[in-house]
Amino acid sequence: MKNFPGRRVAAFCLSALLAAHAIAGPAPIPLLQHKDGRYALVVDGKPFTVLGVQAHNSSNYPAALGQVWAAVRDVNANTLEIPVAWEQLEPVEGKFDFSFVDALVAQARQNKVRLVLLWFGTWKNTGPQYTPEWVKFDNQRFPRMIGKDGKGIYCLSPFGEQTLKADTRAFTALMAHLKKIDSVQRTVIMVQVENEVGTYGTVRDFSPSAEAAFRQQVPAAVLARKKPPAPGAANGTWQEVYGPYADEYFHAYAVASYIETVARSGRAVYDLPMYVNNALRDPLEPMAPWKSNFASGGPTYDVIDIYKAAAPHIDIAAPDIYSPESDKVGATLERFQRQDNALFVPEMGNAAGYARYVYQILGRGAIGVAPFGIDYADYSNYPLGSKLKDKAMAEPFGKIYAAFRPMAHHWAQWSLDGRTFGIAEGDDRKPQSILAGDWKITAKFREWQFGHANKDDLPPGTESPNGGAALAQVGDDEFIVIGQNIRLNFEHSAGKPSMYARVEEGHFDAGGKWVMERNWNGDQTDWGINLTARPTVMKIRMGTYVQ
Ligand code: DGJ
């Protein structure tokens, strides 16, 4: 064979291409890393902070996506959470339609955004509205729960064997399809299994199969994890062990076991991290048995242990935050962030008052956060979220994400290493302080940049609480700070005389390197570190001296 120069070039190009491909290879599969009770979502082999948004419920069709991407861009999100509904995946039993998933994944790649898919299957906000019609209306085959009065209710029963089989099959088909289309690029980084499960109005299923299960012994895995809040037997039936809490705990176990079957089967074909989300019970109310005040059987904070025992293939029980009060937000974060449960906030109101919680949530070491309904569909879920439906709705989150995004990888690593702290202005507007190694950092709100607050002359834009800061202690005496509408003062915790060594304002570049823009001194530091409504990134180094 003659050796044409053209062929040599082509052969060279091909081998170079193959070599490049072999070096790049498929991206490693996303996973949840755990270190000393802290977590990181690892994407492309590196810790990743989900600066997310969640689309409206009905935006899961190709024609609706344009309005979603526009909002995703305005808010500078790196991740979109969006439903994939059983009804759209399997409208006819056994025939799967992946056209939406294919369009979504392709468009996410064009937009350089990762995806968290929300499996709206047997339960969406506890109801069956996202199941295909052949499930919804065939309650012989797919039974609904029976209330205590013997009457059927809206919610599908976790004891429906055919329902479980059908949901598992559809979900597994979805995961198999993701494996097929996404094993190289890993655009999809996590999957939510079902949506806000549990049941409103009835504490549990009272159908004959549920009754038979209720009379069984509490499984050893549950006994090992969940201690009865009221004194009960060390083992025995649900009633014997958990007394007044037995019905709720039993229902949580039934729902979690169902989810486990679905998740386990999906992960067996494609092992992405998976989580469940929760419509919260009041985190401040004294613990008491269920009294119609939340969805029984959902992963409320009091039954996380039961979910852990029943559903080991679910990595995270995650809170959906729609109560804006700062004390409730704080208590919820505390209850869901545990040694055995990474903190992830997959939904939060999109009203401006929630934006400050991004600092608190990421500062506490969450793997991510996502306000809900950041999407220019002509819909607002006010009063849960904002009345606004346009750029003005996206702006309070967009400016924070823009400042965070270039350092999102660093942030995830710092939080895995336990170096981060978060503050959100409280509804009481009072100062707060944190202790970071040798440094006590005090945050104040509603102060002018130069001097002290005067209650009759307060800075504009501080009418309602919107201050916050996230801090990473990157060295013994050095901090990266990002914040807004806050004054920070640093002092040595043991009282040694101290002063600023260096107070740099700047940003991280695309390669993750710190770029100083200016050094603050004089007026800019004499009254503390005053961050305005514009989220600002600072690198602050402290020093002590001998007097
Ligand atoms: C929580 C649910 O998980 C979301 O899907 C949505 O229904 C919101 N509530 C309300 O907008």
Side-chain angles (χ1 to χ4, degrees), residues 57 120 124-125 195-196 277 320 322 347 372 381 384:
N57 290 165
F120 283 12
K124 155 52 172 110
N125 294 20
N195 188 83
E196 290 199 346
N277 63 331
D320 290 349
Y322 288 101
E347 290 183 42
F372 176 89
N381 70 351
L384 286 192

Side-chain angles (χ1 to χ4, degrees), residues 92 156 159 245 259 294 366 446 467 514-515:
V92 176
L156 287 170
F159 293 94
Y245 293 88
I259 291 173
F294 58 91
R446 311 201 79 184
W514 175 252
V515 179

Side-chain angles (χ1 to χ4, degrees), residues 295-313:
S296 175
T300 46
Y301 74 84
D302 53 319
V303 296
I304 290 177
D305 287 314
I306 295 178
Y307 270 74
K308 295 286 175 197
H313 287 85

Side-chain angles (χ1 to χ4, degrees), residues 27-110:
I29 195 161
L31 55 89
L32 194 67
Q33 190 182 342
H34 180 200
K35 189 170 101 181
D36 307 329
R38 295 182 298 268
Y39 292 85
L41 180 64
V42 177
V43 175
D44 296 337
K46 285 187 295 196
F48 179 88
T49 302
V50 175
L51 299 172
V53 297
Q54 186 162 149
H56 282 300
N57 290 165
S58 309
S59 295
N60 56 328
Y61 288 86
L65 284 177
Q67 289 167 317
V68 176
W69 299 127
V72 166
R73 279 193 292 273
D74 284 349
V75 92
N76 301 299
N78 62 14
T79 306
L80 168 66
E81 301 172 356
I82 188 161
V84 173
W86 187 2
E87 66 173 358
Q88 75 187 140
L89 201 84
E90 196 184 7
V92 176
E93 187 169 2
K95 290 203 166 57
F96 294 99
D97 175 355
F98 296 110
S99 53
F100 169 62
V101 177
D102 291 341
L104 173 70
V105 170
Q107 291 183 32
R109 288 176 187 160
Q110 281 158 14

